[in-house]
Amino acid sequence: MSIEIIKKEAFEFLKKLEKNNNREWFTENKNTFKAHETDAKAFYNAVMENLNKHDQIEKLKIFRIYRDVRFSKDKTPYKAHFAGSFSRMGLERRGGYYLRIKPGETFLAAGFWEPNKEDLLRIRKELELDASEFRAVIDKKSFKSVWGELQGDAVKTAPKGFDKEHPDIDLLRHKQFIFVRNFTDKEVLAKDFIIQVDHSFKAIRPYFDLMSSILTTNLNGESLID
């Protein structure tokens, strides 16, 4: 288990950036930012190293500090947080991991943020046919103790072509199938934070295994990949 920590100084910098989110202040403090960014990258790479001991990660994407303000009402130029996503390798491994580090708002997320229309329909068709296995996975005590309830955007009534009176309409309404775990600043700055991150990502695996099985087969259970 690689041990990297989030330093208190990094949190203090992000707090100052939140209060001074302008190009002048950032330019003056860019060298400090670069030092904290280097540490953050080392942390994310250590998370990926740990993930690869029990999963296979194809890509780590660490998001840039600069915000795209072209179509946003919020014109502040910088993100006062670090964020990165981890993509699983191969067609047979579905789902993705995400970690955002921000004072007061650090969280992990895992699952399916924006499934394409084919995947979304396949998931809904599976749940329409039989949602018992899906519920068994997400309702298991050991799973819920880490990840809580299923989250994500949903339609208001029922997706087109689905019965609004279906007994599993609460699941069928979902457009996203994600789980989120929040952390306090004290937890993030603790020496075992990276261990807690890895423990959480391990705990999502039964969900990923089920969803991968669904998304790589048709309703008859026949494989869709070679």
Side-chain angles (χ1 to χ4, degrees), residues 72-90:
S72 174
K73 291 181 180 179
D74 180 1
K75 298 300 181 182
T76 52
Y78 307 105
K79 304 168 189 171
H81 64 262
F82 296 112
S85 64
F86 307 84
S87 302
R88 304 180 76 209
M89 185 179 295

Side-chain angles (χ1 to χ4, degrees), residues 23-35:
R23 289 180 175 82
E24 292 76 18
W25 186 90
F26 187 80
T27 299
E28 291 175 4
N29 294 275
K30 193 167 184 178
N31 288 338
T32 302
F33 162 71
K34 286 294 185 182

Side-chain angles (χ1 to χ4, degrees), residues 163-200:
D163 182 3
K164 65 180 181 180
E165 302 298 329
H166 191 283
D168 296 301
I169 192 61
D170 60 315
L171 300 177
L172 294 171
R173 289 175 56 243
H174 272 265
K175 296 189 292 184
Q176 298 175 315
F177 293 82
I178 59 175
F179 289 89
V180 176
R181 181 180 183 184
N182 298 297
F183 289 87
T184 66
D185 289 356
K186 183 178 179 180
E187 289 172 326
V188 176
L189 296 175
K191 291 182 179 179
D192 70 341
F193 176 56
I194 196 167
I195 296 173
Q196 295 305 315
V197 170
D198 196 59
H199 169 74
S200 302

Side-chain angles (χ1 to χ4, degrees), residues 51 55-59 85-98 109-115 119 123 177-178 204-205 207-213 215-216:
L51 267 171
D55 201 346
Q56 293 186 48
I57 303 302
E58 183 173 43
K59 180 182 178 183
S85 64
F86 307 84
S87 302
R88 304 180 76 209
M89 185 179 295
L91 295 174
E92 72 278 15
R93 296 180 188 86
R94 306 300 293 271
Y97 307 94
Y98 177 84
F112 302 80
W113 286 267
E114 295 180 341
D119 282 354
I123 295 168
F177 293 82
I178 59 175
I204 203 73
R205 187 60 176 273
Y207 175 66
F208 278 178
D209 288 348
L210 174 61
M211 294 292 271
S212 295
S213 176
L215 290 169
T216 57

Side-chain angles (χ1 to χ4, degrees), residues 119-134:
D119 282 354
L120 181 57
L121 180 61
R122 176 67 186 90
I123 295 168
R124 284 172 169 166
K125 284 293 186 182
E126 184 73 23
L127 296 174
E128 180 186 41
L129 183 66
D130 182 5
S132 60
E133 188 176 5
F134 185 92

